[in-house]
């Protein structure tokens, strides 16, 4: 049998190697189970979050997602950015709280984008949050950020051409710069060699495209179609879209405000005719 000591050491080494392999298998299997459980947990949270968002439970949604603000999951983070922004816009939120929440939302959206640059929603909410922050940083920053906002809206549309909201927001970007007051345009020209600009025709194209993707998805898109046609002096089509906005079934406070604005604009037509 040769040297008994050598044989014993060989047997011991084999036993330890086997034990090591078994331990490795147990640890590997445990890691797979843990990872699967983590994925399931995230999916469960996202399902709860989407239910609360669809139900209009803004505060409950924010409370749920705030528990996971240290998460590295892009889907959780952009939803938390959206929830933070929604809380900021509640009428009961103080100006001081609103500012904190707006910057908090931007940070979550930025992290979501860092975690997944292929997420159309992360691009969309990052652009929205940059726009919100502009209200606190002055006209120079707001104009400078406009390029970045446009870039991320366009990327969101490229990643998901069927997202009517991103297309609508790109329309708002165009509408905003088409109707920029002369004094702001003058400031922009002094600050930037090529300041951002657009036309009502461009805005109209995006609003119509959003409507084609998802008809009647948003009362504000109907209103802005009407208002853009007004800017282009097409009263017949303006009246058509404003009537649709006025008759839109109101589900939110914003829908009610849009109904009122549309009705007032239509009344203005009647008074002039």
């Amino acid at each position: 049998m040769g040297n008994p000591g050598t044989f014993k050491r060989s047997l011991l080494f084999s036993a330890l190697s086997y034990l090591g392999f078994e331990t490795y298998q147990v640890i590997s299997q445990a890691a797979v189970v843990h990872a699967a459980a983590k994925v399931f947990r995230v999916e469960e949270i996202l399902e709860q979050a989407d239910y609360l968002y669809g139900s209009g439970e803004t505060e409950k949604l924010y409370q749920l997602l705030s528990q996971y603000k240290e998460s590295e999951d892009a889907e959780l983070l952009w939803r938390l950015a959206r929830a933070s922004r929604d809380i900021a816009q509640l009428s009961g939120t103080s100006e001081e709280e609103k500012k904190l929440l707006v910057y908090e939302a931007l940070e979550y959206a930025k992290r979501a984008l860092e975690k997944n640059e292929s997420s159309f929603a992360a691009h969309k909410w990052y652009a929205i949050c940059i726009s919100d922050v502009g209200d606190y940083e002055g006209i120079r920053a707001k104009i400078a950020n406009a390029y970045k906002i446009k870039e991320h809206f366009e990327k969101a549309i490229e990643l998901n051409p069927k997202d009517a909201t991103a297309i609508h927001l790109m329309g708002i970007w165009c509408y905003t710069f088409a109707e920029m007051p002369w004094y702001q345009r003058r400031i922009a020209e002094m600050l930037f060699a090529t300041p951002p600009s657009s036309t009502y025709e461009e805005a109209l194209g995006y609003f119509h495209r959003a409507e084609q993707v998802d008809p009647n998805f948003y009362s504000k898109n109907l209103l802005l179609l009407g208002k853009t046609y007004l800017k282009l002096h097409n009263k017949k089509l303006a009246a058509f879209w404003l009537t649709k906005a006025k008759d839109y079934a109101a589900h939110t406070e914003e829908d009610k405000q849009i109904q009122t604005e549309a009705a007032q604009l239509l009344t203005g037509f009647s008074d002039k005719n």
Side-chain angles (χ1 to χ4, degrees):
M1 289 193 53
N3 189 327
T6 303
F7 176 74
K8 286 179 182 177
R9 282 196 301 273
S10 176
L11 190 63
L12 177 62
F13 178 76
S14 298
L16 287 172
S17 296
Y18 177 74
L19 180 62
F21 176 71
E22 286 294 298
T23 304
Y24 167 76
Q25 279 197 313
V26 170
I27 291 170
S28 298
Q29 287 170 2
V32 169
V33 170
H34 177 71
K38 189 176 179 182
V39 169
F40 175 75
R41 177 69 177 143
V42 169
E43 288 178 354
E44 188 182 354
I45 296 161
L46 294 179
E47 193 174 315
Q48 290 175 35
D50 291 344
Y51 172 78
L52 290 171
Y53 182 75
S55 304
E57 296 281 1
T58 306
E59 291 174 343
K60 287 182 181 177
L61 174 60
Y62 179 71
Q63 288 166 7
L64 169 69
L65 293 175
S66 291
Q67 299 174 64
Y68 308 100
K69 59 185 177 184
E70 301 305 323
S71 171
E72 295 190 356
D73 187 277
E75 293 296 304
L76 273 173
L77 289 167
W78 73 253
R79 282 172 172 82
L80 181 52
R82 181 181 66 184
S84 301
R85 184 179 184 272
D86 287 348
I87 289 287
Q89 294 188 325
L90 292 177
S91 57
T93 304
S94 70
E95 282 303 313
E96 188 178 344
E97 282 181 295
K98 181 177 180 179
K99 184 176 179 180
L100 288 172
L101 285 161
V102 162
Y103 278 92
E104 185 181 293
L106 177 61
E107 184 57 32
Y108 294 138
K110 183 181 177 183
R111 281 173 51 204
L113 200 54
E114 287 169 354
K115 299 301 175 187
N116 184 3
E117 289 189 355
S118 297
S119 167
F120 81 91
H123 281 280
K124 176 172 72 177
W125 285 99
Y126 183 55
I128 292 168
C129 292
I130 293 172
S131 179
D132 289 344
V133 163
D135 293 337
Y136 298 99
E137 298 192 344
I139 186 69
R140 185 188 182 103
K142 199 161 191 173
I143 293 170
N145 284 338
Y147 294 104
K148 195 183 292 186
I149 291 166
K150 183 183 182 184
E151 175 191 334
H152 286 284
F153 279 147
E154 287 176 337
K155 188 63 179 177
I157 295 167
E158 179 190 323
L159 289 166
N160 184 4
K162 296 297 183 183
D163 182 40
T165 307
I167 299 167
H168 164 80
L169 291 168
M170 193 62 235
I172 289 181
W173 189 96
C174 294
Y175 187 94
T176 300
F177 283 99
E179 73 164 357
M180 180 185 277
W182 68 266
Y183 63 90
Q184 287 189 6
R185 200 179 300 280
R186 183 67 59 85
I187 292 169
E189 287 168 356
M190 288 190 292
L191 294 174
F192 303 95
T194 52
S197 63
S198 191
T199 64
Y200 290 118
E201 286 82 2
E202 280 185 284
L204 191 66
Y206 281 110
F207 295 141
H208 270 300
R209 184 175 164 189
E211 207 60 32
Q212 287 164 4
V213 166
D214 191 0
N216 294 314
F217 76 103
Y218 188 23
S219 59
K220 191 170 184 177
N221 199 65
L222 302 173
L223 176 72
L224 282 168
L225 275 162
K227 290 177 75 170
T228 308
Y229 273 117
L230 269 182
K231 294 287 187 182
L232 294 170
H233 310 293
N234 188 329
K235 291 186 177 181
K236 183 177 180 180
L237 284 173
F240 173 79
W241 290 106
L242 289 172
T243 300
K244 290 193 70 149
K246 179 180 70 72
D247 295 341
Y248 189 90
H251 300 291
T252 66
E253 192 59 37
E254 184 186 34
D255 288 337
K256 293 174 187 176
Q257 292 169 1
I258 283 166
Q259 282 182 338
T260 302
E261 185 177 353
Q264 288 171 346
L265 288 167
L266 284 165
T267 301
F269 278 17
S270 303
D271 292 344
K272 290 176 183 176
N273 291 337

